[in-house]
Amino acid sequence: MVFSSLTFLFGYLPLTLALYFITPLRRRNFVLLLASLFFYGWGEPVYVGVMLLSIFIDYTHGLLVERFRGRDRLARWFVGQSVVFNLLLLGFFKYWDFLAVNLSLLPGVSIPELGLPLPLGISFFTFQTMSYTIDVYRQDAPVQRNAIAFGAYVTLFPQLIAGPIVKYKTVAKELVKRTVTSEDFAQGVCRFTVGLGKKVLLANAAGELWESCLGTQAAGTLTTAGGWTGLLAFGFQIYFDFSGYSDMAIGLGRMLGFRFDENFDHPYLSASVGEFWRRWHMSLTSWFREYLYIPLGGNRGGTARTLRNLLIVWFCTGFWHGASWNFILWGLYFALWIILERFALRDLLTRTPVWIRRGYTLAVVFVGWGIFAMEELGACGRYLAVCFGGGPLWSALDTYRLRSYAATLLLLALGSTTLAADLWRRIPERGRRMLAPVLMGAVLALSTAYLVDGSYNPFLYFRF
């Protein structure tokens, strides 16, 4: 079940909210746990058991870490067990077939593929539960002794499937006591509706353009103009798809009394690749920095160690996204640009006008999206080769396509900036209060009409 579905919008969500708010405060974690397990089991009921096992392991290991805090070796042992369990769980379901295929290429090695479907959201909830025991050990978060509250945290349906990655320490107090005012709920509804519009009205439109460009490549008629149009379309699709989902998750959390951290901050306005990754999928970037890069030594210990740490982190970032060589290549591609900016381009970028730096950043990022989007490396290489002059420059189809999608591309570009937020802030508060319900109602109506009529409604991060 996805947020941008009629089943969720007009079935699951209103029923869940009604049940949640008629329940006494002390029982709401239990209701939230049951509702979240139902949400998760809607698509893959067989994997509810995997979710419950993950909850049990990390809940008990958190208690063990706290119990043996005075005996550091034992405490570290239990933290290590938790980390190993989560990595094995993720590795088995997500990476077994990839490793089996590639290791079986070695002489004398034959490992069977299992063909298991990937449990929804496993990349997100394993990172969350793993960070819980680490934070308890570091005393950055209190141990949770209530199994229901811990289960509600792990299964919290607003962010269960595709994040943002919510660290336990950011919601620990709200799991114990939280209130929802009418203003909180209204702001949550607005944030959810904005995210729904971004996903359904913008991301889906960009996705249709991207599919059109891929179809041109398959037919052997892709041009340089068509290739770059496709990269722009996919870049906009994944931004509005994922940031829209994050907006919906943050809005749903607000309705339930939780305040999740922001996950996107207008990344396409970045003036460097490093800045882009401080603005894009910020919960993942923060997770890798806090639980991998810094423990490895960060930028301490000299240039060679810093380079090693950056390569490890970006290899893991790419591999986290998917069990495919294109994701590993994508991660290392960004590692190269991060390293170049840190050690070779810093002074040059400082002296360069900001509009040039933004253009350079967008070029790097959108080429990266080409690597990300195409798992078959041969097809990816051919596509990017055409983008850089390895084919015809223009065709009549490009003219038709750009005319058809000119307004859409303009809206996508403007929507990636702060323009809408800036204009909204200029409206007097009284005007905003009157206008907000009208705009939200219009977005909801348009999104619903699209979902009723349209069949194209993919969600890109479902596979991660």
Side-chain angles (χ1 to χ4, degrees), residues 68-138:
F68 294 102
R69 182 173 302 285
R71 301 164 65 180
D72 195 56
R73 177 177 291 184
L74 272 175
R76 282 190 281 115
W77 170 253
F78 288 121
V79 171
Q81 280 188 344
S82 171
V83 170
V84 169
F85 169 78
N86 282 288
L87 291 178
L88 287 177
L89 184 68
L90 181 62
F92 176 73
F93 283 103
K94 191 167 185 175
Y95 301 109
W96 177 278
D97 284 358
F98 174 81
L99 295 175
V101 168
N102 286 279
L103 291 176
S104 295
L105 297 176
L106 299 174
V109 178
S110 179
I111 302 175
E113 296 179 57
L114 301 179
L116 296 173
L118 183 67
L120 295 175
I122 191 170
S123 298
F124 291 91
F125 71 73
T126 51
F127 269 33
Q128 290 190 176
T129 56
M130 185 162 42
S131 66
Y132 163 73
T133 51
I134 295 173
D135 284 342
V136 170
Y137 173 75
R138 293 174 174 177

Side-chain angles (χ1 to χ4, degrees), residues 427-435:
I427 300 174
E429 183 177 354
R430 184 179 178 182
R432 291 201 300 266
R433 288 182 178 275
M434 295 176 61
L435 194 57

Side-chain angles (χ1 to χ4, degrees), residues 344-362:
L345 301 177
R346 178 181 296 176
D347 292 339
L348 177 61
L349 289 174
T350 301
R351 298 192 303 268
T352 303
V354 67
W355 65 272
I356 295 179
R357 284 185 280 145
R358 285 177 173 168
Y360 138 79
T361 302
L362 288 175

Side-chain angles (χ1 to χ4, degrees), residues 316-429:
C316 292
T317 300
F319 207 30
W320 178 88
H321 279 84
S324 177
W325 284 108
N326 73 300
F327 293 116
I328 295 174
L329 180 62
W330 176 76
L332 295 177
Y333 167 83
F334 276 108
L336 172 63
W337 285 105
I338 295 290
I339 290 169
L340 284 174
E341 287 189 351
R342 178 170 293 195
F343 295 103
L345 301 177
R346 178 181 296 176
D347 292 339
L348 177 61
L349 289 174
T350 301
R351 298 192 303 268
T352 303
V354 67
W355 65 272
I356 295 179
R357 284 185 280 145
R358 285 177 173 168
Y360 138 79
T361 302
L362 288 175
V364 170
V365 168
F366 279 86
V367 169
W369 288 137
I371 302 172
F372 186 94
M374 292 172 275
E375 294 188 16
E376 207 279 291
L377 292 181
C380 177
R382 291 189 294 273
Y383 189 101
L384 292 178
V386 172
C387 289
F388 288 95
L393 294 178
W394 196 277
S395 71
L397 178 59
D398 296 320
T399 302
Y400 171 78
R401 185 185 285 134
L402 288 174
R403 284 178 178 174
S404 301
Y405 283 93
T408 300
L409 287 171
L410 178 61
L411 187 60
L412 291 168
L414 293 176
S416 302
T417 70
T418 62
L419 178 63
D422 292 339
L423 292 175
W424 183 252
R425 281 192 293 268
R426 291 185 180 184
I427 300 174
E429 183 177 354

Side-chain angles (χ1 to χ4, degrees), residues 239 264-270 279 415-419 421:
Y239 170 64
F264 289 86
D265 181 18
H266 303 95
Y268 290 155
L269 296 179
S270 303
R279 291 168 171 258
S416 302
T417 70
T418 62
L419 178 63

